[in-house]
Every structure is written in structure tokens, then in C-alpha cells.
Amino acid sequence: MNRKIHVSVSILAEDFSILGENLKTIENAGGDSIHLDVIDGVFAPNITFGPVVIKGISKLCALPLHAHLMIKYPEKYLEDFIDAGCSQIYFHLESEGKPQNIINKIHGRKAKCGIVLNPDTSVDTVIPYLEKIDSILIMCVHPGFSGQEFIPEVLSKIEKIRENYPKLDIAVDGGINDETIDSVLNSGANVIIANSYVFSSKDRAKAVRRLKGLNE
Ligand code: DX5
Ligand code: ZN
């Protein structure tokens, strides 16, 4: 099947003193959305930014904003991220709270809802929710930092979901680059999240095209 590939660019490891420039870079390179990694230092070992900063980002950038909540209590804060301008909220199945309540709350605010699975979490845990969400995000590294190495064992999870859900958006996050992109696309992923590969490329537009599976 020929799927349209969506590229969402993360700014996690970039220089926030030139945030506006970096956001423009993503727009000019053909990125489809901005992936915002929100980490609370409890759910994952890093601390990043919250709704206040995202509200500022929404004024600097015309692309849709997607929040990836790596926080222990997503239900408590998710509306703040929607208020700040995020049109899609990803929460981890490993975080606290009842997944169905979180899904309802996100959809109740007319935002899209994605569930995230850590590399060690089995696909079976998410099956009861797959008909109820807009996308599933398969982590290809352990949450916390950009620039980690891709874990190839996650490919079978993508394949398993794609086999049964031909239309669901399947996102991948972590370690996606020139060498790993083909395997995730071939497994059935259609939303590609990347940080270091795009920003470390001299030609960022070319990097985004590569992530879309487009040849020169
Ligand atoms: C990791 C984050 C990722 C990260 C991706 O916790 O969820 O979004 O920024 O960075 P790269 O593409 O460099 O692996
Ligand atoms: Zn992320």
C-alpha cells in the first residue's frame, strides 16, 4: 500500500536560544508538524518544557503542534497542552491513569489522541484501545533523550499492528535516520518522528524527503 508519510520534527536536543530559527528550518524543510517532547524528570530521566513554552512556540510557527507527554500524570495536565495550541496529544500507556478516561478527555477537547508504547511494552496491552484512538506511537528508543540508537526489536510490533489495522496512523520515534528509515517504512509506519537526523543534516529538506521515503 502506498501511504502518505507524515514527518514530525522534534526539537528536543536543539538550541533554545535560536528556537524561532529552528522552527522556521522545519517549516522550510517540508516538515509536517512539530513534535514536542514534554518530560517531567519522573516518568523519564530528563526535564524539558511545558505549556508555557509551547504557547510561545505556537506564536512562532504555523505547523501543527503535537505534544508527546512523557509525564507521570498526563490526565492532570493534558488540557493545558491543548490550551497552549497542541492539536494532538500522545500519552504513554505506562503512565498513571485510566487510558479510556484520558482518551475521552482528549477527544472531548477535539484534539487527536495517540497512545505511546515503550520499547519493552507488549503490543497486546494496547489492542483494546486501537479502535478508539487516532494513532499509536511505537518508541524505538527508551524515552528521555535524542540521539539514541534504534532498537530493532520494535519492528515486529509495527508489523503486527499494521497487519490488523491498515488505516491506523502508526508513528515511530527515536533513532530514525538514513539507515533505519527503510525498515520502519517497510514495517508499515507512516508517521515519522525525528530530531537529530534532520538537524544534523546539511540539507534538511533532503533529510525530510528521505524520511518520507522519497528518492531524489
Ligand atoms: C525521546 C523523544 C524523541 C527524540 C527523538 O524521548 O521522544 O522524540 O527527540 O530524537 P532522535 O530522532 O534524535 O532519536
Ligand atoms: Zn518524542
Side-chain angles (χ1 to χ4, degrees), residues 118-143:
N118 276 340
D120 297 336
T121 304
S122 142
V123 162
D124 300 338
T125 56
V126 79
I127 287 174
Y129 307 107
L130 287 179
E131 305 271 0
K132 298 167 178 165
I133 55 178
D134 303 287
S135 68
I136 172 85
L137 196 175
I138 302 295
M139 286 304 288
C140 307
V141 299
H142 295 285

Short mmCIF file of all heavy atoms in Angstrom, two decimals, residues 118-143:
data_model
loop_
_atom_site.label_atom_id
_atom_site.label_comp_id
_atom_site.label_asym_id
_atom_site.label_seq_id
_atom_site.Cartn_x
_atom_site.Cartn_y
_atom_site.Cartn_z
N ASN A 118 6.37 2.08 25.16
CA ASN A 118 7.82 1.99 25.35
C ASN A 118 8.35 0.73 24.66
O ASN A 118 7.60 -0.22 24.44
CB ASN A 118 8.14 1.94 26.85
CG ASN A 118 8.21 3.33 27.44
OD1 ASN A 118 8.39 4.31 26.73
ND2 ASN A 118 8.05 3.41 28.75
N PRO A 119 9.66 0.69 24.39
CA PRO A 119 10.21 -0.47 23.68
C PRO A 119 9.93 -1.81 24.38
O PRO A 119 9.74 -2.81 23.70
CB PRO A 119 11.72 -0.19 23.67
CG PRO A 119 11.84 1.29 23.77
CD PRO A 119 10.67 1.75 24.60
N ASP A 120 9.86 -1.81 25.70
CA ASP A 120 9.66 -3.09 26.40
C ASP A 120 8.18 -3.45 26.61
O ASP A 120 7.88 -4.49 27.18
CB ASP A 120 10.33 -3.05 27.78
CG ASP A 120 11.83 -2.88 27.65
OD1 ASP A 120 12.37 -3.24 26.58
OD2 ASP A 120 12.46 -2.38 28.61
N THR A 121 7.27 -2.59 26.20
CA THR A 121 5.85 -2.86 26.43
C THR A 121 5.27 -3.65 25.25
O THR A 121 5.48 -3.29 24.10
CB THR A 121 5.07 -1.53 26.60
OG1 THR A 121 5.68 -0.80 27.66
CG2 THR A 121 3.61 -1.77 26.92
N SER A 122 4.52 -4.69 25.58
CA SER A 122 3.98 -5.55 24.53
C SER A 122 2.81 -4.88 23.80
O SER A 122 2.04 -4.12 24.39
CB SER A 122 3.53 -6.87 25.18
OG SER A 122 2.35 -7.32 24.61
N VAL A 123 2.67 -5.22 22.54
CA VAL A 123 1.57 -4.68 21.72
C VAL A 123 0.22 -5.09 22.28
O VAL A 123 -0.77 -4.35 22.19
CB VAL A 123 1.72 -5.21 20.27
CG1 VAL A 123 0.43 -5.08 19.50
CG2 VAL A 123 2.84 -4.50 19.56
N ASP A 124 0.16 -6.26 22.88
CA ASP A 124 -1.12 -6.77 23.38
C ASP A 124 -1.80 -5.81 24.35
O ASP A 124 -3.02 -5.74 24.40
CB ASP A 124 -0.91 -8.13 24.08
CG ASP A 124 -0.33 -9.15 23.12
OD1 ASP A 124 -0.48 -8.95 21.89
OD2 ASP A 124 0.30 -10.13 23.58
N THR A 125 -1.00 -5.05 25.09
CA THR A 125 -1.57 -4.15 26.10
C THR A 125 -2.40 -3.02 25.47
O THR A 125 -3.27 -2.46 26.12
CB THR A 125 -0.46 -3.51 26.95
OG1 THR A 125 0.44 -2.85 26.05
CG2 THR A 125 0.30 -4.53 27.77
N VAL A 126 -2.12 -2.71 24.21
CA VAL A 126 -2.78 -1.54 23.60
C VAL A 126 -3.96 -1.95 22.71
O VAL A 126 -4.77 -1.11 22.32
CB VAL A 126 -1.75 -0.69 22.82
CG1 VAL A 126 -1.42 -1.28 21.46
CG2 VAL A 126 -2.20 0.75 22.67
N ILE A 127 -4.05 -3.24 22.43
CA ILE A 127 -5.10 -3.70 21.49
C ILE A 127 -6.52 -3.23 21.87
O ILE A 127 -7.25 -2.76 21.01
CB ILE A 127 -5.00 -5.23 21.27
CG1 ILE A 127 -3.76 -5.46 20.39
CG2 ILE A 127 -6.25 -5.80 20.60
CD1 ILE A 127 -3.37 -6.88 20.17
N PRO A 128 -6.89 -3.25 23.16
CA PRO A 128 -8.26 -2.82 23.49
C PRO A 128 -8.54 -1.35 23.12
O PRO A 128 -9.71 -0.96 23.05
CB PRO A 128 -8.34 -2.98 25.02
CG PRO A 128 -7.19 -3.86 25.39
CD PRO A 128 -6.16 -3.74 24.34
N TYR A 129 -7.50 -0.57 22.88
CA TYR A 129 -7.72 0.87 22.62
C TYR A 129 -7.54 1.26 21.16
O TYR A 129 -7.82 2.39 20.78
CB TYR A 129 -6.76 1.71 23.48
CG TYR A 129 -6.85 1.35 24.94
CD1 TYR A 129 -5.84 0.62 25.56
CD2 TYR A 129 -7.97 1.70 25.68
CE1 TYR A 129 -5.94 0.25 26.89
CE2 TYR A 129 -8.08 1.33 27.01
CZ TYR A 129 -7.06 0.60 27.61
OH TYR A 129 -7.18 0.23 28.92
N LEU A 130 -7.07 0.33 20.33
CA LEU A 130 -6.66 0.73 18.97
C LEU A 130 -7.81 1.25 18.11
O LEU A 130 -7.58 2.05 17.21
CB LEU A 130 -5.94 -0.43 18.27
CG LEU A 130 -4.53 -0.71 18.79
CD1 LEU A 130 -3.91 -1.88 18.05
CD2 LEU A 130 -3.63 0.52 18.70
N GLU A 131 -9.03 0.80 18.37
CA GLU A 131 -10.17 1.30 17.59
C GLU A 131 -10.60 2.69 18.07
O GLU A 131 -11.41 3.34 17.43
CB GLU A 131 -11.39 0.36 17.77
CG GLU A 131 -11.13 -1.09 17.43
CD GLU A 131 -11.39 -1.40 15.96
OE1 GLU A 131 -11.76 -0.46 15.23
OE2 GLU A 131 -11.19 -2.56 15.56
N LYS A 132 -10.08 3.09 19.22
CA LYS A 132 -10.60 4.31 19.85
C LYS A 132 -9.66 5.50 19.73
O LYS A 132 -9.97 6.59 20.19
CB LYS A 132 -10.84 4.03 21.34
CG LYS A 132 -11.88 2.95 21.52
CD LYS A 132 -11.91 2.44 22.93
CE LYS A 132 -13.01 1.39 23.05
NZ LYS A 132 -12.89 0.60 24.25
N ILE A 133 -8.49 5.28 19.16
CA ILE A 133 -7.51 6.36 19.11
C ILE A 133 -7.17 6.72 17.66
O ILE A 133 -7.54 6.01 16.73
CB ILE A 133 -6.22 5.98 19.88
CG1 ILE A 133 -5.63 4.67 19.36
CG2 ILE A 133 -6.52 5.91 21.37
CD1 ILE A 133 -4.34 4.25 20.04
N ASP A 134 -6.47 7.83 17.50
CA ASP A 134 -6.12 8.30 16.15
C ASP A 134 -4.77 7.76 15.70
O ASP A 134 -4.51 7.68 14.51
CB ASP A 134 -6.11 9.84 16.15
CG ASP A 134 -7.45 10.38 16.59
OD1 ASP A 134 -8.40 10.30 15.81
OD2 ASP A 134 -7.56 10.85 17.76
N SER A 135 -3.91 7.47 16.66
CA SER A 135 -2.61 6.92 16.26
C SER A 135 -1.95 6.18 17.41
O SER A 135 -2.26 6.41 18.59
CB SER A 135 -1.69 8.03 15.74
OG SER A 135 -1.33 8.86 16.79
N ILE A 136 -1.05 5.28 17.02
CA ILE A 136 -0.24 4.55 18.00
C ILE A 136 1.20 4.94 17.73
O ILE A 136 1.63 4.99 16.58
CB ILE A 136 -0.47 3.03 17.88
CG1 ILE A 136 0.51 2.24 18.75
CG2 ILE A 136 -0.36 2.52 16.44
CD1 ILE A 136 0.05 2.09 20.15
N LEU A 137 1.93 5.23 18.80
CA LEU A 137 3.34 5.62 18.63
C LEU A 137 4.22 4.54 19.24
O LEU A 137 4.11 4.24 20.44
CB LEU A 137 3.58 6.97 19.32
CG LEU A 137 4.86 7.75 18.98
CD1 LEU A 137 4.84 9.10 19.67
CD2 LEU A 137 6.13 7.04 19.31
N ILE A 138 5.05 3.95 18.41
CA ILE A 138 5.97 2.92 18.87
C ILE A 138 7.32 3.57 19.15
O ILE A 138 7.99 4.08 18.24
CB ILE A 138 6.14 1.82 17.78
CG1 ILE A 138 4.79 1.19 17.42
CG2 ILE A 138 7.14 0.76 18.21
CD1 ILE A 138 4.12 0.41 18.53
N MET A 139 7.70 3.59 20.44
CA MET A 139 9.03 4.13 20.78
C MET A 139 10.10 3.16 20.30
O MET A 139 10.02 1.95 20.56
CB MET A 139 9.16 4.31 22.30
CG MET A 139 8.39 5.47 22.89
SD MET A 139 8.78 7.07 22.16
CE MET A 139 10.42 7.38 22.83
N CYS A 140 11.10 3.71 19.62
CA CYS A 140 12.20 2.89 19.09
C CYS A 140 13.47 3.09 19.91
O CYS A 140 14.53 2.55 19.58
CB CYS A 140 12.45 3.25 17.64
SG CYS A 140 10.98 3.18 16.62
N VAL A 141 13.35 3.90 20.98
CA VAL A 141 14.42 4.08 21.98
C VAL A 141 13.70 4.23 23.32
O VAL A 141 12.48 4.41 23.35
CB VAL A 141 15.26 5.37 21.73
CG1 VAL A 141 15.94 5.33 20.37
CG2 VAL A 141 14.42 6.63 21.87
N HIS A 142 14.45 4.18 24.42
CA HIS A 142 13.82 4.44 25.71
C HIS A 142 13.63 5.95 25.85
O HIS A 142 14.52 6.73 25.46
CB HIS A 142 14.69 3.87 26.84
CG HIS A 142 14.77 2.37 26.77
ND1 HIS A 142 13.71 1.56 27.15
CD2 HIS A 142 15.73 1.54 26.30
CE1 HIS A 142 14.03 0.29 26.93
NE2 HIS A 142 15.25 0.25 26.42
N PRO A 143 12.48 6.39 26.38
CA PRO A 143 12.19 7.82 26.39
C PRO A 143 13.18 8.62 27.24
O PRO A 143 13.67 8.12 28.25
CB PRO A 143 10.78 7.89 26.99
CG PRO A 143 10.52 6.59 27.63
CD PRO A 143 11.39 5.58 26.97
#
